[in-house]
């Protein structure tokens, strides 16, 4: 039996961390910290539960099920074909990859260009050619990702963030602010909901194939051993994510004197200027660029491996080319256009992913053949479609009706319908067992 060394396990965890940690993960925690103020620890605790807990549970769910396809097959074979493709397209070339390219340009290049050049579509076009060229080059050799992520990109990212925190200890930003809005009344709940909005649980389902293939390249083929090592990698990545989120949250909580920027990106920019002066923009740009590259490389690799496995007619390299070209094209549409189209769709499919993850973790009580998979996924899917139509076509005119559901205003109105559907599935399982038992105990009439 092959066993990974502690160093190899650490490098796999570093790789998974880098694939998770993108620009969005940089922006959310500082903003949360500033809004939470003196309640920052409570809010960060809620944030970590959802922003770290759900993705790591996703990795564990894939490890236990064997693959994303096998997990989705528990609902229905047709669902297992359609839903993974929808996930890979949505979180890949339709949103996350092009968004990373756009954000890398806006934070890593545009601040250093003249105003006219920064706003030029040609500047973005040439930047994305270089950016996705680098992504493509890294993606060509998935077997080397563990070394490139674990030994180069992740240490560089962690070093830069640690540098910021150490500098803040010697150059205090200011006093902790006063909790604002919902952070004052429900800091843990609001932090949890902020973490929920990162949608990293989708990435967990996508990245599972890369982690599994990486471990197989190390000679690990036994399913139980593969599952155990995937879980260890997920826990390791979770510890790193938690560490970084705490640092960024504390930085944000000390930024009360910096005013109230509209988003975490502007807040981070203000913090970096306060700490490092004009060079702060350069350091922040480097951090965003590395983070965006890591996420893009991980997603292109994951999607290419999945589509090559599902559709054998095109090589892995061919899929990588298609994904990089498509992502570059979408990135040049502009960040606002990307978000306006893709975010509502992701919001509709994200609850389905969470339901699948939770059911996989309850396998001891809810077996793979249970009707609960079908009932909960069906109800949550219907709810997602209805909510998507309400947001995109009916200008939220159904809010009064949908608003009666608990947590709807917070973006989690699917929870109660899912619980109800789960109980229906349990009743169907009970009826099916009763029918089988009744049929099996019948005796043939005497002659």
């Amino acid at each position: 039996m092959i066993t990974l060394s502690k160093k190899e396990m650490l490098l796999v965890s570093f790789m998974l961390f880098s694939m998770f940690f993108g620009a969005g993960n940089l922006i959310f925690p500082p903003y949360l910290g500033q809004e939470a103020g003196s309640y920052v620890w409570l809010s960060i605790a809620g944030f970590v539960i959802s922003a770290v807990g759900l993705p790591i549970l996703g990795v564990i769910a894939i490890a236990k099920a064997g693959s994303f396809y096998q997990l989705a097959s528990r609902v229905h074979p047709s669902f297992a074909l359609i839903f993974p493709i929808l996930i890979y397209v949505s979180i890949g070339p339709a949103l996350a990859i092009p968004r990373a390219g756009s954000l890398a340009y806006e934070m890593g290049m545009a601040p250093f260009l003249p105003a006219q050049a920064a706003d030029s579509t040609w500047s973005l076009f040439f930047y994305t050619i270089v950016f996705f060229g680098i992504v493509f080059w890294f993606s060509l050799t998935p077997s080397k990702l563990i070394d490139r992520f674990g030994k180069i990109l992740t240490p560089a990212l962690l070093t830069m963030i640690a540098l910021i925190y150490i500098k803040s200890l010697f150059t205090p930003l200011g006093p902790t602010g006063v909790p604002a809005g919902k952070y004052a009344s429900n800091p843990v709940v609001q932090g949890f909901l902020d973490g929920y909005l990162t949608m990293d649980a989708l990435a967990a389902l996508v990245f599972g194939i890369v982690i599994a293939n990486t471990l197989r390249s190390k000679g690990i083929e036994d399913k139980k051993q593969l599952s155990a090592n995937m879980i260890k990698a997920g826990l390791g990545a979770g510890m790193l994510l938690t560490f970084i989120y705490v640092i960024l949250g504390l930085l944000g909580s000390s930024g009360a004197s910096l005013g109230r920027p509209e988003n975490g990106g502007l807040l981070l920019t203000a913090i970096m200027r306060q700490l490092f002066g004009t060079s702060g923009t350069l350091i922040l740009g480097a951090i965003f660029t590395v983070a965006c590259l890591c996420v893009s490389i991980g997603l292109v690799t994951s999607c290419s491996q999945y589509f090559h496995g599902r559709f054998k007619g095109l090589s892995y390299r061919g899929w990588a080319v298609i994904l990089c070209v498509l992502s570059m094209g979408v990135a040049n549409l502009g960040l606002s256009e990307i978000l306006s189209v893709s975010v509502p769709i992701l919001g509709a499919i994200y609850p389905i992913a969470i339901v699948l993850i939770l059911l996989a973790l309850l396998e001891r009580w809810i077996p793979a053949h249970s009707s609960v998979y079908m009932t909960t996924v069906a109800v949550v899917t219907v709810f997602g479609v209805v909510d998507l139509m309400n947001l995109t076509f009916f200008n939220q005119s159904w809010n009064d009706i949908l608003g009666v559901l608990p947590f709807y205003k917070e973006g989690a109105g699917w929870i109660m319908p899912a619980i109800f559907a789960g109980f229906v599935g349990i009743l169907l399982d009970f009826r099916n067992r009763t029918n089988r038992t009744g049929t099996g105990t019948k005796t043939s009439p005497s002659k």
Side-chain angles (χ1 to χ4, degrees):
M1 180 180 291
I2 298 175
T3 303
L4 294 183
S5 67
K6 291 182 179 179
K7 180 181 178 181
E8 288 175 319
M9 197 69 251
L10 180 64
L11 291 178
V12 175
S13 297
F14 273 12
M15 181 179 77
L16 182 57
F17 163 80
S18 294
M19 292 161 68
F20 274 127
F21 194 77
N25 306 75
L26 275 167
I27 291 173
F28 275 110
Y31 187 76
L32 174 149
Q34 188 183 54
E35 292 294 299
S38 58
Y39 288 165
V40 61
W41 284 104
L42 293 173
S43 295
I44 283 292
F47 185 85
V48 167
I49 290 172
S50 55
V52 177
L54 284 176
I56 302 313
L57 290 177
V59 173
I60 294 173
I62 294 299
K64 290 172 69 69
S67 69
F68 188 11
Y69 177 81
Q70 288 174 299
L71 177 57
S73 295
R74 297 179 179 183
V75 180
H76 192 274
S78 298
F79 178 82
L81 175 64
I82 297 171
F83 186 66
I85 291 175
L86 184 61
I87 291 286
Y88 276 98
V89 170
S90 297
I91 203 173
L95 173 61
I97 305 175
R99 182 181 66 178
S102 296
L103 278 170
Y105 172 76
E106 291 184 8
M107 300 299 295
M109 178 59 70
F112 308 103
L113 297 175
Q116 186 174 358
D119 295 334
S120 171
T121 55
W122 286 107
S123 297
L124 175 61
F125 176 72
F126 287 119
Y127 179 86
T128 52
I129 289 178
V130 175
F131 181 88
F132 286 106
I134 296 172
V135 171
F136 175 70
W137 180 75
F138 272 96
S139 302
L140 283 180
T141 50
S143 61
K144 295 182 180 180
L145 287 185
I146 186 172
D147 292 324
R148 289 168 175 169
F149 277 170
K151 296 179 180 179
I152 303 173
L153 295 177
T154 303
L157 187 60
L158 293 175
T159 300
M160 287 187 285
I161 294 175
L163 175 65
I164 297 171
Y165 183 65
I166 293 170
K167 184 66 166 67
S168 71
L169 297 177
F170 294 95
T171 310
L173 292 168
T176 301
V178 177
K182 294 182 179 179
Y183 293 94
S185 56
N186 296 296
V188 177
V189 173
Q190 189 58 42
F192 179 89
L193 293 172
D194 284 348
Y196 167 85
L197 294 175
T198 63
M199 297 192 178
D200 275 348
L202 290 180
L205 298 177
V206 170
F207 292 149
I209 187 174
V210 177
I211 301 302
N213 288 341
T214 299
L215 293 172
R216 290 190 183 101
S217 71
K218 297 291 182 181
I220 297 176
E221 295 291 345
D222 179 74
K223 289 185 178 181
K224 289 186 177 180
Q225 194 181 9
L226 189 66
S227 175
N229 280 284
M230 286 180 67
I231 292 171
K232 288 180 183 178
L235 294 174
M239 292 174 64
L240 287 171
L241 287 170
T242 300
F243 175 70
I244 298 301
Y245 289 153
V246 169
I247 287 178
L248 293 174
L250 292 175
L251 284 173
S253 70
S254 301
S257 61
L258 301 175
R260 291 284 179 179
E262 294 180 5
N263 57 61
L266 295 175
L267 177 60
L268 267 179
T269 301
I271 289 173
M272 293 299 290
R273 286 176 180 166
Q274 179 102 352
L275 292 175
F276 298 96
T278 54
S279 61
T281 305
L282 179 62
I283 298 173
L284 186 61
I287 292 174
F288 266 91
T289 301
V290 172
C292 290
L293 275 173
C294 289
V295 168
S296 298
I297 294 165
L299 286 170
V300 168
T301 302
S302 303
C303 293
S304 299
Q305 288 182 345
Y306 174 77
F307 286 121
H308 173 57
R310 293 295 299 162
F311 308 102
K312 301 291 186 180
L314 192 62
S315 67
Y316 168 86
R317 182 189 181 97
W319 280 111
V321 170
I322 290 175
L323 290 169
C324 286
V325 171
L326 284 176
S327 298
M328 187 184 75
V330 176
N332 280 272
L333 295 177
L335 188 59
S336 298
E337 290 295 326
I338 299 170
L339 295 177
S340 65
V341 174
S342 300
V343 168
I345 297 175
L346 283 177
I349 62 178
Y350 193 63
I352 304 173
I354 294 178
V355 166
L356 282 175
I357 290 170
L358 295 179
L359 290 177
L361 298 174
L362 297 173
E363 190 172 7
R364 179 178 296 181
W365 302 278
I366 303 175
H369 60 270
S370 173
S371 300
V372 174
Y373 278 89
M374 176 66 81
T375 56
T376 52
V377 168
V379 168
V380 171
T381 300
V382 170
F383 174 85
V385 171
V386 170
D387 194 36
L388 178 63
M389 292 175 62
N390 178 45
L391 292 173
T392 56
F393 299 112
F394 295 99
N395 197 28
Q396 303 185 43
S397 60
W398 297 351
N399 278 5
D400 291 339
I401 299 173
L402 296 174
V404 300
L405 293 169
F407 310 116
Y408 179 76
K409 292 181 180 179
E410 290 80 11
W414 58 271
I415 292 178
M416 288 308 296
I419 293 174
F420 174 78
F423 279 116
V424 172
I426 291 172
L427 292 175
L428 289 175
D429 285 345
F430 178 76
R431 187 196 67 178
N432 292 337
R433 284 196 301 269
T434 303
N435 289 341
R436 285 196 297 269
T437 302
T439 302
T441 55
K442 286 181 180 180
T443 58
S444 58
S446 57
K447 294 181 182 178

